[in-house]
Amino acid sequence: MRESLAVVLAAGEGTRMRSALPKVLHRIGHLPMVGHVLKTLGSAGIDRLAVVVGPNHGAVRAAVGELAPHASIHMQEQRLGTAHAVLAARPELEHATDDVLVVYGDTPFVTPEAIAHLRAGLAEGASVVVAGFRPESPKGYGRLVMEGERLLAIREEKDASEAERQITLCNAGMMAFRGDVALAILDAIGSDNAQKEFYLTDAVEVANDRGLRVDVAEIAADEVFGINDRVQLAGAEQLFQAQRRRAAMVEGATLIAPETVFFAHDTVLGRDVTIEPNVVFGPGVTVADNVVIRAFSHIEGAQVASGATVGPFARLRPGAEIGEGAHIGNFVEIKAATVETGAKVNHLTYIGDARVGAKSNIGAGTVTCNYDGVNKFRTDIGANAFIGSNSSLVAPIAIGDGAYVASGSVLTEDVEADALAFGRARQVAKPGRAAVLREAQKDRRKPT
Ligand code: UD1
Ligand code: CA
């Protein structure tokens, strides 16, 4: 097995994003784009990870620390170009390694196969392997200047001649180096170009000058989609969603209108899950087998057990745990609450910071009043309880197993098991008084 090091470049300003957020932290499928890259490098079996971040990019540093705790982080003090950025990881480059990969943090769809493809070139004797691709429009990309099978140079758009700009094979932004020559090549790169930057792409000419073999590994355009602005960010999201929808269907979920369902990077679906149109998944959702997610539901940070139904128009927020066969109906919001096996919360209800015991039925319009403006409190509803419609349960409160709450109740005290609780004024009806009232109103009517 060849040893490997990947250097991820994430120090760019991302000026074209016009954002206070560093570019590589913009999300695709709710995961920062650099997270996609780190995830892929992890599954490609790369031994060591080094991430290069910018001087005022504490947020990137923190995100990388969470996403890839084993990665070393290096600061590029001044942004003097991609080659200069790689050299920020010099301590890692000085360690002997067979393969050194340079991957851009703004190219989130790199696949483990593409990385293997580049490494295969090194294993076959190349000193440098460049990932090439043919974009729909080559504008903005470095062009691969070939002579037959030989890669002579990469020319950045700004430095390219008219003839070079006609080239359709472009630099994808991923490169592999033989570990024992990587540092020498990088150190030899200068900044004599339109942008006065140290271009990583000049590694090709340096290697050629030294008589080293330079290969191109052609990669599918989808895999090396680079993001520089928000239009491309939206394009990336679209691409990501298309892949995820396809994967969900291939793995056994029915999507009635796949183009209207939006997944997060970590959405987990069981088998025979049905997802109706217009459903949005935020991060941290696991859906077990045989669940039906009905139209227009929004789900994040939630677990849904087998056979449950959710929606239409349901909202599951972080900490929602929906038990086996439970029903969550229309206009119901569940937050940090467990709805146990077979329980039903079918209409117009808010359940927050709560437990709803097995087989309990929560009537339409029930609200757990969990917040007093300062603190949050819990509601605990036992099994087989019945909460009448339009009840307010003022937490902290416990409703025992089998208890029955009359509709329209406002409850502020615990209800013991099997008790019947009323928390409302007694009804009063005065015979004939409606007619009397009407007469009185007529007399008071203002002349028009
Ligand atoms: C780069 C390539 C280009 C290629 C394209 C593919 C160079 C000189 N050009 O152009 O040939 O077609 O990617 O998408 O390499 N970065 C730093 N520090 C720096 C400068 C950049 O960390 O000083 C990082 C950025 O965060 C980014 C990556 O390097 O992740 C690429 O930089 P960017 O400025 O986006 O390069 P492009 O102009 O897109
Ligand atoms: Ca770029």
Side-chain angles (χ1 to χ4, degrees), residues 8-14 16 23-24 52-54 57 76 78-86 102-107 131 133 138 140-144 154-158 170-175 193 195 197-202 224-228:
V8 179
L9 302 191
E13 303 245 28
R16 286 166 281 178
K23 173 162 77 175
V24 295
V52 178
V53 305
H57 282 179
Q76 185 192 15
Q78 277 177 296
R79 293 184 180 90
L80 301 179
T82 43
H84 180 259
V86 179
V102 178
V103 185
Y104 292 171
D106 65 351
T107 311
F133 77 123
Y141 291 108
R143 310 297 206 282
L144 302 192
I154 305 176
R155 198 76 70 223
E156 289 307 299
E157 168 117 351
K158 287 187 177 127
C170 294
N171 176 25
M174 204 177 23
M175 243 181 245
N193 53 54
Q195 303 199 85
E197 280 188 6
F198 296 88
Y199 289 163
L200 177 63
T201 45
D202 285 348
V224 290
F225 190 84
I227 296 162
N228 299 310

Short mmCIF file of all heavy atoms in Angstrom, two decimals, residues 8-14 16 23-24 52-54 57 76 78-86 102-107 131 133 138 140-144 154-158 170-175 193 195 197-202 224-228, ligand 1:
data_model
loop_
_atom_site.label_atom_id
_atom_site.label_comp_id
_atom_site.label_asym_id
_atom_site.label_seq_id
_atom_site.Cartn_x
_atom_site.Cartn_y
_atom_site.Cartn_z
N VAL A 8 -5.60 19.97 1.46
CA VAL A 8 -6.86 20.58 1.01
C VAL A 8 -6.71 22.09 1.09
O VAL A 8 -6.42 22.64 2.16
CB VAL A 8 -8.03 20.12 1.92
CG1 VAL A 8 -9.34 20.79 1.46
CG2 VAL A 8 -8.17 18.61 1.90
N LEU A 9 -6.89 22.76 -0.03
CA LEU A 9 -6.76 24.22 -0.05
C LEU A 9 -8.10 24.89 0.26
O LEU A 9 -9.06 24.74 -0.47
CB LEU A 9 -6.26 24.70 -1.41
CG LEU A 9 -4.93 24.10 -1.86
CD1 LEU A 9 -4.41 24.85 -3.09
CD2 LEU A 9 -3.89 24.12 -0.75
N ALA A 10 -8.09 25.62 1.35
CA ALA A 10 -9.34 26.25 1.79
C ALA A 10 -9.11 27.67 2.28
O ALA A 10 -9.87 28.20 3.08
CB ALA A 10 -9.97 25.40 2.90
N ALA A 11 -8.03 28.29 1.78
CA ALA A 11 -7.68 29.62 2.30
C ALA A 11 -8.13 30.77 1.40
O ALA A 11 -7.98 31.92 1.76
CB ALA A 11 -6.17 29.71 2.50
N GLY A 12 -8.71 30.42 0.25
CA GLY A 12 -9.09 31.48 -0.70
C GLY A 12 -10.09 32.44 -0.09
O GLY A 12 -10.84 32.09 0.82
N GLU A 13 -10.09 33.65 -0.62
CA GLU A 13 -11.00 34.67 -0.10
C GLU A 13 -12.44 34.41 -0.51
O GLU A 13 -13.38 34.77 0.18
CB GLU A 13 -10.61 36.06 -0.64
CG GLU A 13 -9.18 36.44 -0.32
CD GLU A 13 -9.13 37.62 0.61
OE1 GLU A 13 -10.07 37.77 1.39
OE2 GLU A 13 -8.15 38.37 0.54
N GLY A 14 -12.60 33.80 -1.68
CA GLY A 14 -13.95 33.57 -2.18
C GLY A 14 -14.66 34.87 -2.47
O GLY A 14 -15.84 35.02 -2.24
N ARG A 16 -15.76 36.21 -5.06
CA ARG A 16 -16.93 36.19 -5.95
C ARG A 16 -18.21 35.70 -5.25
O ARG A 16 -19.29 35.84 -5.79
CB ARG A 16 -16.62 35.33 -7.19
CG ARG A 16 -15.67 36.02 -8.15
CD ARG A 16 -15.09 35.07 -9.19
NE ARG A 16 -14.00 34.27 -8.64
CZ ARG A 16 -13.34 33.33 -9.32
NH1 ARG A 16 -13.70 33.06 -10.56
NH2 ARG A 16 -12.36 32.66 -8.76
N LYS A 23 -15.79 31.04 1.76
CA LYS A 23 -16.43 30.26 0.70
C LYS A 23 -16.61 28.79 1.05
O LYS A 23 -17.70 28.23 0.85
CB LYS A 23 -15.62 30.38 -0.60
CG LYS A 23 -16.13 29.46 -1.70
CD LYS A 23 -15.64 29.84 -3.06
CE LYS A 23 -14.23 29.44 -3.30
NZ LYS A 23 -13.82 29.73 -4.70
N VAL A 24 -15.55 28.17 1.60
CA VAL A 24 -15.63 26.71 1.80
C VAL A 24 -16.61 26.32 2.88
O VAL A 24 -16.87 25.13 3.08
CB VAL A 24 -14.24 26.10 2.10
CG1 VAL A 24 -13.31 26.26 0.91
CG2 VAL A 24 -13.64 26.68 3.36
N VAL A 52 -5.35 23.77 4.55
CA VAL A 52 -4.76 25.11 4.58
C VAL A 52 -5.89 26.13 4.67
O VAL A 52 -6.77 26.17 3.83
CB VAL A 52 -3.91 25.35 3.30
CG1 VAL A 52 -3.33 26.76 3.30
CG2 VAL A 52 -2.81 24.29 3.20
N VAL A 53 -5.82 26.94 5.74
CA VAL A 53 -6.89 27.93 5.96
C VAL A 53 -6.31 29.34 5.95
O VAL A 53 -5.11 29.55 6.11
CB VAL A 53 -7.63 27.68 7.30
CG1 VAL A 53 -8.17 26.25 7.37
CG2 VAL A 53 -6.73 27.96 8.49
N GLY A 54 -7.18 30.32 5.78
CA GLY A 54 -6.77 31.71 5.72
C GLY A 54 -6.56 32.30 7.10
O GLY A 54 -7.03 31.74 8.09
N HIS A 57 -9.71 33.07 9.23
CA HIS A 57 -10.69 32.03 9.01
C HIS A 57 -10.83 31.09 10.20
O HIS A 57 -10.77 29.88 10.06
CB HIS A 57 -10.37 31.24 7.74
CG HIS A 57 -10.77 31.96 6.48
ND1 HIS A 57 -10.57 31.47 5.23
CD2 HIS A 57 -11.40 33.15 6.32
CE1 HIS A 57 -11.04 32.32 4.34
NE2 HIS A 57 -11.54 33.36 4.96
N GLN A 76 -2.24 29.91 5.89
CA GLN A 76 -1.56 30.64 4.82
C GLN A 76 -1.72 32.12 5.16
O GLN A 76 -2.81 32.67 5.06
CB GLN A 76 -2.23 30.32 3.47
CG GLN A 76 -1.49 30.95 2.29
CD GLN A 76 -2.29 30.89 0.99
OE1 GLN A 76 -3.49 30.64 0.98
NE2 GLN A 76 -1.59 31.15 -0.12
N GLN A 78 -0.57 34.96 3.89
CA GLN A 78 -0.97 35.86 2.81
C GLN A 78 -1.44 35.00 1.66
O GLN A 78 -0.84 33.96 1.39
CB GLN A 78 0.25 36.65 2.32
CG GLN A 78 0.58 37.86 3.14
CD GLN A 78 1.86 38.47 2.57
OE1 GLN A 78 2.93 37.86 2.61
NE2 GLN A 78 1.72 39.66 2.00
N ARG A 79 -2.47 35.45 0.96
CA ARG A 79 -2.98 34.63 -0.14
C ARG A 79 -2.22 34.95 -1.41
O ARG A 79 -2.60 35.83 -2.16
CB ARG A 79 -4.46 34.86 -0.32
CG ARG A 79 -5.26 34.36 0.88
CD ARG A 79 -6.73 34.53 0.65
NE ARG A 79 -7.51 34.06 1.79
CZ ARG A 79 -7.88 34.80 2.81
NH1 ARG A 79 -7.52 36.07 2.89
NH2 ARG A 79 -8.59 34.29 3.79
N LEU A 80 -1.13 34.21 -1.61
CA LEU A 80 -0.27 34.49 -2.76
C LEU A 80 -0.41 33.45 -3.86
O LEU A 80 0.45 33.33 -4.70
CB LEU A 80 1.19 34.61 -2.30
CG LEU A 80 1.45 35.71 -1.24
CD1 LEU A 80 2.92 35.71 -0.85
CD2 LEU A 80 1.04 37.08 -1.77
N GLY A 81 -1.49 32.68 -3.81
CA GLY A 81 -1.74 31.73 -4.90
C GLY A 81 -1.78 30.29 -4.42
O GLY A 81 -1.43 29.99 -3.28
N THR A 82 -2.23 29.43 -5.35
CA THR A 82 -2.48 28.04 -4.95
C THR A 82 -1.20 27.26 -4.60
O THR A 82 -1.22 26.42 -3.70
CB THR A 82 -3.27 27.30 -6.05
OG1 THR A 82 -2.75 27.66 -7.34
CG2 THR A 82 -4.74 27.71 -6.03
N ALA A 83 -0.08 27.56 -5.29
CA ALA A 83 1.17 26.85 -4.95
C ALA A 83 1.67 27.30 -3.58
O ALA A 83 2.10 26.48 -2.75
CB ALA A 83 2.24 27.11 -6.01
N HIS A 84 1.58 28.58 -3.36
CA HIS A 84 1.95 29.16 -2.06
C HIS A 84 1.10 28.56 -0.95
O HIS A 84 1.57 28.26 0.14
CB HIS A 84 1.79 30.68 -2.14
CG HIS A 84 2.14 31.42 -0.90
ND1 HIS A 84 1.17 31.87 -0.02
CD2 HIS A 84 3.34 31.78 -0.37
CE1 HIS A 84 1.76 32.48 1.00
NE2 HIS A 84 3.08 32.45 0.80
N ALA A 85 -0.16 28.33 -1.27
CA ALA A 85 -1.07 27.74 -0.27
C ALA A 85 -0.63 26.32 0.09
O ALA A 85 -0.58 25.96 1.26
CB ALA A 85 -2.50 27.74 -0.81
N VAL A 86 -0.27 25.54 -0.93
CA VAL A 86 0.15 24.15 -0.64
C VAL A 86 1.39 24.17 0.25
O VAL A 86 1.50 23.37 1.20
CB VAL A 86 0.46 23.38 -1.95
CG1 VAL A 86 0.92 21.97 -1.64
CG2 VAL A 86 -0.76 23.36 -2.87
N VAL A 102 -3.25 17.16 -3.97
CA VAL A 102 -3.71 18.51 -3.67
C VAL A 102 -5.15 18.60 -4.16
O VAL A 102 -5.45 18.29 -5.32
CB VAL A 102 -2.84 19.57 -4.36
CG1 VAL A 102 -3.39 20.97 -4.07
CG2 VAL A 102 -1.39 19.44 -3.91
N VAL A 103 -6.03 18.94 -3.24
CA VAL A 103 -7.46 18.99 -3.56
C VAL A 103 -7.97 20.36 -3.15
O VAL A 103 -7.60 20.87 -2.09
CB VAL A 103 -8.20 17.88 -2.79
CG1 VAL A 103 -9.66 17.83 -3.21
CG2 VAL A 103 -7.54 16.53 -3.00
N TYR A 104 -8.83 20.94 -3.97
CA TYR A 104 -9.37 22.26 -3.63
C TYR A 104 -10.63 22.12 -2.76
O TYR A 104 -11.50 21.29 -3.04
CB TYR A 104 -9.74 23.04 -4.90
CG TYR A 104 -8.55 23.46 -5.75
CD1 TYR A 104 -8.74 24.00 -7.01
CD2 TYR A 104 -7.26 23.32 -5.28
CE1 TYR A 104 -7.66 24.40 -7.79
CE2 TYR A 104 -6.18 23.71 -6.05
CZ TYR A 104 -6.37 24.24 -7.30
OH TYR A 104 -5.32 24.63 -8.07
N GLY A 105 -10.71 22.96 -1.77
CA GLY A 105 -11.86 22.93 -0.87
C GLY A 105 -13.14 23.41 -1.51
O GLY A 105 -14.22 23.25 -0.94
N ASP A 106 -13.05 24.02 -2.69
CA ASP A 106 -14.25 24.53 -3.35
C ASP A 106 -14.69 23.63 -4.50
O ASP A 106 -15.40 24.06 -5.40
CB ASP A 106 -14.04 25.98 -3.83
CG ASP A 106 -12.99 26.10 -4.92
OD1 ASP A 106 -12.29 25.10 -5.20
OD2 ASP A 106 -12.86 27.19 -5.50
N THR A 107 -14.25 22.39 -4.47
CA THR A 107 -14.60 21.42 -5.51
C THR A 107 -15.20 20.20 -4.79
O THR A 107 -14.55 19.18 -4.62
CB THR A 107 -13.34 21.04 -6.33
OG1 THR A 107 -12.68 22.25 -6.72
CG2 THR A 107 -13.66 20.25 -7.56
N ALA A 131 -5.68 16.29 -12.82
CA ALA A 131 -7.05 15.92 -13.17
C ALA A 131 -7.56 16.86 -14.24
O ALA A 131 -7.64 18.07 -14.03
CB ALA A 131 -7.94 15.97 -11.94
N PHE A 133 -10.63 17.78 -17.22
CA PHE A 133 -12.06 17.56 -17.51
C PHE A 133 -12.48 18.48 -18.64
O PHE A 133 -11.78 19.41 -19.00
CB PHE A 133 -12.91 17.79 -16.25
CG PHE A 133 -13.15 19.24 -15.90
CD1 PHE A 133 -14.45 19.73 -15.79
CD2 PHE A 133 -12.10 20.10 -15.67
CE1 PHE A 133 -14.69 21.05 -15.45
CE2 PHE A 133 -12.33 21.44 -15.33
CZ PHE A 133 -13.62 21.91 -15.22
N PRO A 138 -15.41 26.36 -20.97
CA PRO A 138 -14.10 26.35 -20.31
C PRO A 138 -13.73 27.68 -19.65
O PRO A 138 -12.69 27.79 -19.00
CB PRO A 138 -13.14 26.03 -21.46
CG PRO A 138 -13.85 26.46 -22.69
CD PRO A 138 -15.32 26.36 -22.43
N GLY A 140 -12.82 30.61 -17.46
CA GLY A 140 -12.39 30.72 -16.07
C GLY A 140 -11.49 29.60 -15.61
O GLY A 140 -10.84 29.71 -14.57
N TYR A 141 -11.42 28.52 -16.38
CA TYR A 141 -10.59 27.39 -15.97
C TYR A 141 -9.20 27.46 -16.62
O TYR A 141 -9.03 28.03 -17.70
CB TYR A 141 -11.24 26.06 -16.37
CG TYR A 141 -12.48 25.75 -15.58
CD1 TYR A 141 -13.73 25.81 -16.18
CD2 TYR A 141 -12.40 25.39 -14.23
CE1 TYR A 141 -14.88 25.52 -15.46
CE2 TYR A 141 -13.55 25.10 -13.51
CZ TYR A 141 -14.78 25.16 -14.12
OH TYR A 141 -15.90 24.89 -13.41
N GLY A 142 -8.24 26.83 -15.94
CA GLY A 142 -6.93 26.69 -16.54
C GLY A 142 -7.02 25.68 -17.68
O GLY A 142 -7.70 24.67 -17.57
N ARG A 143 -6.37 26.01 -18.85
CA ARG A 143 -6.44 25.11 -20.01
C ARG A 143 -5.22 24.17 -20.02
O ARG A 143 -4.10 24.59 -19.71
CB ARG A 143 -6.44 25.90 -21.31
CG ARG A 143 -7.46 27.03 -21.39
CD ARG A 143 -8.88 26.54 -21.30
NE ARG A 143 -9.80 27.47 -21.96
CZ ARG A 143 -10.22 28.61 -21.44
NH1 ARG A 143 -9.83 28.97 -20.23
NH2 ARG A 143 -11.05 29.39 -22.12
N LEU A 144 -5.46 22.91 -20.39
CA LEU A 144 -4.37 21.93 -20.46
C LEU A 144 -3.75 21.98 -21.86
O LEU A 144 -4.40 21.63 -22.85
CB LEU A 144 -4.89 20.52 -20.16
CG LEU A 144 -5.57 20.33 -18.80
CD1 LEU A 144 -5.75 18.84 -18.50
CD2 LEU A 144 -4.77 20.98 -17.66
N ILE A 154 -0.16 24.12 -17.95
CA ILE A 154 -1.54 24.56 -17.71
C ILE A 154 -1.51 26.07 -17.80
O ILE A 154 -0.68 26.73 -17.16
CB ILE A 154 -2.05 24.14 -16.32
CG1 ILE A 154 -1.91 22.63 -16.12
CG2 ILE A 154 -3.50 24.60 -16.13
CD1 ILE A 154 -2.30 22.15 -14.73
N ARG A 155 -2.39 26.60 -18.63
CA ARG A 155 -2.42 28.05 -18.80
C ARG A 155 -3.69 28.61 -18.19
O ARG A 155 -4.78 28.23 -18.59
CB ARG A 155 -2.36 28.40 -20.30
CG ARG A 155 -1.96 29.85 -20.53
CD ARG A 155 -0.47 30.11 -20.34
NE ARG A 155 0.34 29.50 -21.38
CZ ARG A 155 1.50 28.85 -21.14
NH1 ARG A 155 1.97 28.73 -19.91
NH2 ARG A 155 2.17 28.32 -22.13
N GLU A 156 -3.53 29.49 -17.21
CA GLU A 156 -4.69 30.14 -16.60
C GLU A 156 -5.36 31.04 -17.64
O GLU A 156 -4.69 31.64 -18.48
CB GLU A 156 -4.26 30.97 -15.38
CG GLU A 156 -3.84 30.11 -14.20
CD GLU A 156 -4.88 29.09 -13.81
OE1 GLU A 156 -6.00 29.47 -13.43
OE2 GLU A 156 -4.59 27.88 -13.89
N GLU A 157 -6.65 31.17 -17.53
CA GLU A 157 -7.44 31.97 -18.48
C GLU A 157 -6.79 33.35 -18.69
O GLU A 157 -6.61 33.82 -19.81
CB GLU A 157 -8.87 32.12 -17.95
CG GLU A 157 -9.69 33.16 -18.68
CD GLU A 157 -10.90 32.58 -19.40
OE1 GLU A 157 -11.04 31.36 -19.50
OE2 GLU A 157 -11.68 33.40 -19.89
N LYS A 158 -6.41 33.98 -17.59
CA LYS A 158 -5.89 35.36 -17.67
C LYS A 158 -4.54 35.44 -18.39
O LYS A 158 -4.14 36.51 -18.83
CB LYS A 158 -5.74 35.95 -16.26
CG LYS A 158 -7.08 36.30 -15.65
CD LYS A 158 -6.92 37.04 -14.33
CE LYS A 158 -8.29 37.44 -13.77
NZ LYS A 158 -8.50 37.00 -12.39
N CYS A 170 -9.67 21.08 -19.58
CA CYS A 170 -9.31 22.05 -18.53
C CYS A 170 -8.79 21.39 -17.27
O CYS A 170 -8.96 20.18 -17.06
CB CYS A 170 -10.55 22.88 -18.18
SG CYS A 170 -11.08 23.92 -19.54
N ASN A 171 -8.20 22.23 -16.44
CA ASN A 171 -7.68 21.78 -15.15
C ASN A 171 -8.82 21.71 -14.14
O ASN A 171 -9.48 22.71 -13.86
CB ASN A 171 -6.62 22.78 -14.66
CG ASN A 171 -6.10 22.44 -13.27
OD1 ASN A 171 -6.15 21.30 -12.84
ND2 ASN A 171 -5.58 23.45 -12.58
N ALA A 172 -9.02 20.53 -13.60
CA ALA A 172 -10.12 20.32 -12.66
C ALA A 172 -9.79 20.86 -11.28
O ALA A 172 -10.68 21.09 -10.47
CB ALA A 172 -10.44 18.84 -12.58
N GLY A 173 -8.51 21.07 -11.00
CA GLY A 173 -8.16 21.61 -9.70
C GLY A 173 -7.80 20.51 -8.72
O GLY A 173 -8.01 20.64 -7.52
N MET A 174 -7.28 19.43 -9.22
CA MET A 174 -6.82 18.37 -8.35
C MET A 174 -5.53 17.85 -8.96
O MET A 174 -5.45 17.72 -10.18
CB MET A 174 -7.87 17.27 -8.29
CG MET A 174 -7.77 16.46 -7.04
SD MET A 174 -9.03 15.20 -6.88
CE MET A 174 -9.58 14.86 -8.49
N MET A 175 -4.54 17.60 -8.13
CA MET A 175 -3.26 17.18 -8.67
C MET A 175 -2.62 16.19 -7.73
O MET A 175 -2.83 16.26 -6.52
CB MET A 175 -2.35 18.40 -8.76
CG MET A 175 -1.93 18.73 -10.15
SD MET A 175 -0.83 20.16 -10.15
CE MET A 175 -1.87 21.29 -11.02
N ASN A 193 3.32 36.03 -13.65
CA ASN A 193 2.10 35.84 -14.44
C ASN A 193 1.16 37.03 -14.22
O ASN A 193 1.47 37.93 -13.44
CB ASN A 193 1.41 34.53 -14.05
CG ASN A 193 1.20 34.45 -12.55
OD1 ASN A 193 0.62 35.34 -11.94
ND2 ASN A 193 1.70 33.39 -11.94
N GLN A 195 -1.45 37.55 -12.58
CA GLN A 195 -1.95 37.88 -11.24
C GLN A 195 -0.84 38.00 -10.19
O GLN A 195 -1.12 38.21 -9.02
CB GLN A 195 -2.96 36.81 -10.78
CG GLN A 195 -4.11 36.68 -11.76
CD GLN A 195 -5.29 35.99 -11.10
OE1 GLN A 195 -6.10 36.62 -10.44
NE2 GLN A 195 -5.36 34.68 -11.27
N GLU A 197 0.82 35.73 -8.90
CA GLU A 197 0.57 34.72 -7.88
C GLU A 197 1.44 33.50 -8.13
O GLU A 197 1.88 33.26 -9.25
CB GLU A 197 -0.90 34.27 -7.93
CG GLU A 197 -1.85 35.22 -7.25
CD GLU A 197 -3.27 34.64 -7.16
OE1 GLU A 197 -3.46 33.46 -7.53
OE2 GLU A 197 -4.16 35.39 -6.72
N PHE A 198 1.64 32.72 -7.08
CA PHE A 198 2.33 31.44 -7.23
C PHE A 198 1.27 30.39 -7.58
O PHE A 198 0.50 29.99 -6.73
CB PHE A 198 3.07 31.06 -5.94
CG PHE A 198 4.18 32.02 -5.60
CD1 PHE A 198 3.92 33.18 -4.84
CD2 PHE A 198 5.47 31.78 -6.05
CE1 PHE A 198 4.95 34.07 -4.55
CE2 PHE A 198 6.50 32.67 -5.75
CZ PHE A 198 6.25 33.81 -5.00
N TYR A 199 1.24 30.03 -8.88
CA TYR A 199 0.21 29.10 -9.37
C TYR A 199 0.65 27.66 -9.18
O TYR A 199 1.71 27.26 -9.67
CB TYR A 199 0.02 29.27 -10.88
CG TYR A 199 -0.64 30.54 -11.39
CD1 TYR A 199 -0.49 30.87 -12.74
CD2 TYR A 199 -1.44 31.34 -10.59
CE1 TYR A 199 -1.10 31.99 -13.28
CE2 TYR A 199 -2.05 32.48 -11.12
CZ TYR A 199 -1.88 32.80 -12.45
OH TYR A 199 -2.49 33.89 -12.99
N LEU A 200 -0.18 26.89 -8.58
CA LEU A 200 0.09 25.45 -8.47
C LEU A 200 0.23 24.83 -9.86
O LEU A 200 1.01 23.90 -10.09
CB LEU A 200 -1.07 24.78 -7.72
CG LEU A 200 -1.00 23.27 -7.58
CD1 LEU A 200 0.22 22.85 -6.77
CD2 LEU A 200 -2.27 22.74 -6.94
N THR A 201 -0.55 25.37 -10.78
CA THR A 201 -0.58 24.83 -12.13
C THR A 201 0.78 24.89 -12.83
O THR A 201 1.05 24.12 -13.75
CB THR A 201 -1.63 25.60 -12.94
OG1 THR A 201 -1.45 27.01 -12.68
CG2 THR A 201 -3.03 25.23 -12.50
N ASP A 202 1.66 25.79 -12.37
CA ASP A 202 2.99 25.87 -12.97
C ASP A 202 3.86 24.67 -12.63
O ASP A 202 4.95 24.48 -13.19
CB ASP A 202 3.69 27.18 -12.56
CG ASP A 202 3.12 28.39 -13.29
OD1 ASP A 202 2.37 28.18 -14.27
OD2 ASP A 202 3.42 29.53 -12.88
N VAL A 224 -15.93 17.34 -10.73
CA VAL A 224 -14.93 18.36 -10.43
C VAL A 224 -15.52 19.76 -10.56
O VAL A 224 -14.81 20.74 -10.74
CB VAL A 224 -13.70 18.19 -11.34
CG1 VAL A 224 -12.96 16.94 -10.95
CG2 VAL A 224 -14.09 18.11 -12.81
N PHE A 225 -16.82 19.81 -10.41
CA PHE A 225 -17.53 21.08 -10.45
C PHE A 225 -16.97 22.02 -9.38
O PHE A 225 -17.01 21.72 -8.19
CB PHE A 225 -19.01 20.76 -10.18
CG PHE A 225 -19.95 21.89 -10.40
CD1 PHE A 225 -20.43 22.17 -11.66
CD2 PHE A 225 -20.36 22.67 -9.34
CE1 PHE A 225 -21.31 23.22 -11.87
CE2 PHE A 225 -21.24 23.73 -9.54
CZ PHE A 225 -21.71 24.00 -10.81
N GLY A 226 -16.42 23.16 -9.81
CA GLY A 226 -15.81 24.10 -8.87
C GLY A 226 -16.79 25.23 -8.58
O GLY A 226 -17.56 25.64 -9.44
N ILE A 227 -16.75 25.73 -7.34
CA ILE A 227 -17.71 26.77 -6.97
C ILE A 227 -16.98 28.07 -6.65
O ILE A 227 -16.14 28.11 -5.75
CB ILE A 227 -18.53 26.31 -5.75
CG1 ILE A 227 -19.35 25.08 -6.17
CG2 ILE A 227 -19.44 27.42 -5.25
CD1 ILE A 227 -19.85 24.30 -5.02
N ASN A 228 -17.30 29.09 -7.41
CA ASN A 228 -16.70 30.41 -7.18
C ASN A 228 -17.74 31.47 -6.81
O ASN A 228 -17.41 32.46 -6.20
CB ASN A 228 -15.92 30.87 -8.41
CG ASN A 228 -14.78 29.92 -8.73
OD1 ASN A 228 -13.99 29.57 -7.86
ND2 ASN A 228 -14.74 29.44 -9.95
C1 UD1 B 1 -7.99 27.08 -10.09
C2 UD1 B 1 -6.87 26.68 -11.04
C3 UD1 B 1 -7.44 26.47 -12.43
C4 UD1 B 1 -8.54 25.45 -12.40
C5 UD1 B 1 -9.60 25.81 -11.36
C6 UD1 B 1 -10.55 24.65 -11.17
C7 UD1 B 1 -4.77 27.68 -10.19
C8 UD1 B 1 -3.80 28.77 -10.36
N1 UD1 B 1 -5.83 27.69 -11.03
O1 UD1 B 1 -8.46 28.35 -10.51
O2 UD1 B 1 -6.43 26.06 -13.32
O3 UD1 B 1 -9.13 25.30 -13.68
O4 UD1 B 1 -9.00 26.07 -10.08
O5 UD1 B 1 -11.62 24.99 -10.30
O6 UD1 B 1 -4.57 26.82 -9.36
N2 UD1 B 1 -6.58 29.05 -2.47
C9 UD1 B 1 -5.85 29.19 -1.31
N3 UD1 B 1 -4.92 30.17 -1.22
C10 UD1 B 1 -4.65 31.02 -2.24
C11 UD1 B 1 -5.41 30.91 -3.41
C12 UD1 B 1 -6.36 29.90 -3.51
O7 UD1 B 1 -6.06 28.41 -0.36
O8 UD1 B 1 -3.78 31.88 -2.06
C13 UD1 B 1 -7.58 27.95 -2.56
C14 UD1 B 1 -9.01 28.44 -2.68
O9 UD1 B 1 -9.64 28.48 -1.40
C15 UD1 B 1 -9.66 27.33 -3.52
C16 UD1 B 1 -8.51 26.81 -4.36
O10 UD1 B 1 -7.32 27.22 -3.73
O11 UD1 B 1 -10.14 26.28 -2.73
C17 UD1 B 1 -8.55 27.32 -5.80
O12 UD1 B 1 -8.43 28.73 -5.82
P1 UD1 B 1 -9.26 29.65 -6.78
O13 UD1 B 1 -8.86 31.05 -6.55
O14 UD1 B 1 -10.70 29.33 -6.68
O15 UD1 B 1 -8.70 29.18 -8.19
P2 UD1 B 1 -9.40 29.30 -9.59
O16 UD1 B 1 -9.23 30.68 -10.12
O17 UD1 B 1 -10.76 28.75 -9.53
#
